[in-house]
Amino acid sequence: MKTFLYILISGFFFMACSNKDQKEETAAATASSDTLILSNEQLKNASLVIGQMQELEIASLMKVNGKIDVPPQNMVSISVPLGGYLKTSKLLPGMHVNKGEVLAVMEDQQYIQLQQDYLTSKVKLSMFEKEFLRQRELNASQASSDKMLQQAESEYKTNKILVSALAQKLQLVGINPAALNENNISKSVNIHSPIDGYVTKVNVNVGKYISPTEIMFELVNPTDIHLALKIFEKDIEKLFIGQELVAYTNNNPQKKYDCEVLLIGKDINQEGFTDVHCHFEVYDKLLIPGTYMNAEIKVRNRKANVLPSDGVVRFEGKQYIFKVIDKQQFIMTEVTVGDTENGMTEILLPEKAIQEKANYVTKGAYTLLMMLKNEAE
């Protein structure tokens, strides 16, 4: 009986020890699931490069958006100061026009009346001038009273003002008063383009009466287009005048346009951002005002702990690096990465992964990841 009890107790003790060893082995396997030990042959075939983490200056990349705009002096609204009927116009949106080119021909009886008033006043001015000179001579010889001289002078100066005012009105509608005479009075006037550019809007049609306040056409000179970016308040301090950036459209993101910060807005709107105007280094006629664009801006440099990008791997949505334990042993550590520049990636967290004089895999990290996961399977 004693012998049987001894054998039974020994069996229970053996089973308990066996279970303890299995638990320890499982725990050890779990603890080393991110650790990889290579044989000499594996190490040779992996072609790893080992190095230390570096502290370098790195520029953050700020991504923003905006749209192409033109300065106010490059946008022109065409109207008729005195109004009139549109006689002819061949403008269509998108057409190119040259400075001085005739955009439209207007007709109205008031143009005839204006020219008549000017020529009539000009004739009267000559008569009033002669009468004033005559009265001045008579007054000098006491042959005319001072009152007559003053009246002649008043009529002369009043008519002179009238002629000058009518001449300005003629110039306002595009008629040269110096070339106007009784033989070339016209019922129509030409509307000329004040700039070289493109037609963006046509708001009228032939035969319509155009009031002085109505906009007939809108022109734009795109040679001085700029990019207006929306920058949030927290990012304004990162920018400065003359800062370089690249911009691209959604339709053709491979085509990069070099730009430079020209003006930084001084007010914040209700949405929390301000406009930053940028100048295109090279004008491209394919860039149309109103087009939405994306931009990438490298902000001021800052010091950061970095590793070569080949030493950082992504697995199941997370980022990892491999720290060297000894010559043939490596441990995979999860990290948070920052910006990447010139093949170097910023390592942010955890701090325990950033150790002075520690060695890391700087090239071949993906090979280690594949070996580690294959072993795990």
Side-chain angles (χ1 to χ4, degrees):
M1 185 67 179
K2 290 182 179 180
T3 302
F4 176 75
L5 289 175
Y6 176 77
I7 293 173
L8 183 62
I9 292 172
S10 298
F12 281 124
F13 179 77
F14 177 77
M15 290 175 63
C17 290
S18 178
N19 289 337
K20 181 179 179 181
D21 290 341
Q22 288 179 356
K23 290 181 179 180
E24 289 179 354
E25 287 178 3
T26 302
T30 302
S32 61
S33 61
D34 292 331
T35 301
L36 181 65
I37 300 177
L38 302 183
S39 65
N40 291 331
E41 185 177 354
Q42 287 177 319
L43 184 64
K44 181 179 179 181
N45 293 333
S47 300
L48 304 179
V49 177
I50 308 300
Q52 295 182 348
M53 197 168 294
Q54 305 177 54
E55 187 179 60
L56 300 176
E57 285 193 346
I58 189 171
S60 299
L61 192 64
M62 184 167 62
K63 295 185 178 182
V64 295
N65 56 67
K67 66 178 181 178
I68 298 175
D69 200 359
V70 292
Q73 63 269 25
N74 283 42
M75 299 182 66
V76 180
S77 297
I78 305 296
S79 60
V80 184
L82 299 182
Y85 292 91
L86 178 60
K87 181 181 179 181
T88 60
S89 178
K90 297 180 180 180
L91 293 189
L92 292 173
M95 289 180 61
H96 180 268
V97 293
N98 298 314
K99 184 176 182 179
E101 181 179 339
V102 176
L103 303 179
V105 178
M106 306 297 299
E107 277 188 349
D108 199 86
Q109 62 179 2
Q110 63 179 320
Y111 302 146
I112 301 173
Q113 187 63 50
L114 179 59
Q115 295 169 81
Q116 178 185 340
D117 293 343
Y118 172 75
L119 292 174
T120 303
S121 299
K122 191 175 180 181
V123 171
K124 289 181 179 181
L125 177 62
S126 178
M127 182 184 66
F128 286 132
E129 182 180 13
K130 291 176 181 179
E131 179 62 19
F132 168 63
L133 294 176
R134 191 176 72 85
Q135 288 294 333
R136 190 169 62 179
E137 290 178 1
L138 292 174
N139 183 266
S141 62
Q142 302 296 317
S144 175
S145 66
D146 291 341
K147 183 178 180 181
M148 294 294 292
L149 175 62
Q150 292 172 358
Q151 183 178 352
E153 182 180 9
S154 175
E155 290 176 341
Y156 167 63
K157 290 185 176 179
T158 300
N159 208 71
K160 188 176 182 179
I161 293 171
L162 178 59
V163 170
S164 179
L166 290 172
Q168 292 298 317
K169 285 186 177 181
L170 287 172
Q171 290 181 344
L172 194 62
V173 296
I175 298 175
N176 182 8
L180 180 64
N181 57 58
E182 65 275 12
N183 297 319
N184 60 3
I185 295 176
S186 175
K187 64 179 179 180
S188 62
V189 295
N190 295 331
I191 306 299
H192 299 273
S193 173
I195 62 169
D196 290 326
Y198 293 87
V199 180
T200 57
K201 289 184 180 180
V202 177
N203 302 320
V204 294
N205 56 270
V206 173
K208 181 180 179 181
Y209 179 81
I210 312 299
S211 66
T213 58
E214 190 172 352
I215 304 301
M216 299 174 60
F217 314 109
E218 291 187 11
L219 310 179
V220 62
N221 180 2
T223 56
D224 193 27
I225 62 173
H226 61 261
L227 179 60
L229 298 174
K230 303 296 184 184
I231 305 296
F232 282 98
E233 180 180 3
K234 63 182 181 65
D235 296 323
I236 295 176
E237 62 180 12
K238 301 176 183 178
L239 305 180
F240 58 90
I241 303 299
Q243 189 169 11
E244 296 180 349
L245 59 121
V246 294
Y248 54 91
T249 63
N250 290 327
N251 294 332
N252 189 10
Q254 290 78 25
K255 175 66 175 178
K256 305 292 184 181
Y257 298 93
D258 293 325
C259 303
E260 181 180 286
V261 175
L262 186 65
L263 179 66
I264 300 176
K266 301 300 180 183
D267 62 321
I268 307 296
N269 63 17
Q270 295 181 350
E271 297 178 3
F273 58 79
T274 188
D275 287 331
V276 172
H277 298 276
C278 308
H279 173 72
F280 287 94
E281 296 293 341
V282 178
Y283 165 65
D284 188 339
K285 64 181 181 180
L286 297 178
L287 296 177
I288 302 174
T291 301
Y292 285 91
M293 298 194 76
N294 301 309
E296 297 178 352
I297 309 173
K298 288 186 177 181
V299 299
R300 290 185 177 94
N301 292 342
R302 55 186 173 79
K303 288 187 176 181
N305 294 300
V306 298
L307 277 179
S309 300
D310 288 341
V312 183
V313 293
R314 184 179 182 86
F315 181 71
E316 294 183 347
K318 298 179 181 179
Q319 304 282 355
Y320 297 92
I321 60 175
F322 282 90
K323 182 180 177 182
V324 180
I325 305 302
D326 59 32
K327 184 178 179 180
Q328 294 176 261
Q329 186 175 5
F330 309 89
I331 183 170
M332 186 172 73
T333 305
E334 182 184 350
V335 294
T336 302
V337 300
D339 297 309
T340 297
E341 182 182 17
N342 298 327
M344 305 297 288
T345 298
E346 179 183 12
I347 306 300
L348 297 176
L349 295 171
E351 294 183 358
K352 64 181 182 180
I354 306 173
Q355 297 180 1
E356 187 177 358
K357 296 184 179 180
N359 288 322
Y360 301 89
V361 174
T362 60
K363 183 178 180 181
Y366 185 77
T367 301
L368 293 184
L369 176 65
M370 293 297 98
M371 291 182 177
L372 184 64
K373 297 310 171 183
N374 286 338
E375 284 190 4
E377 293 175 358

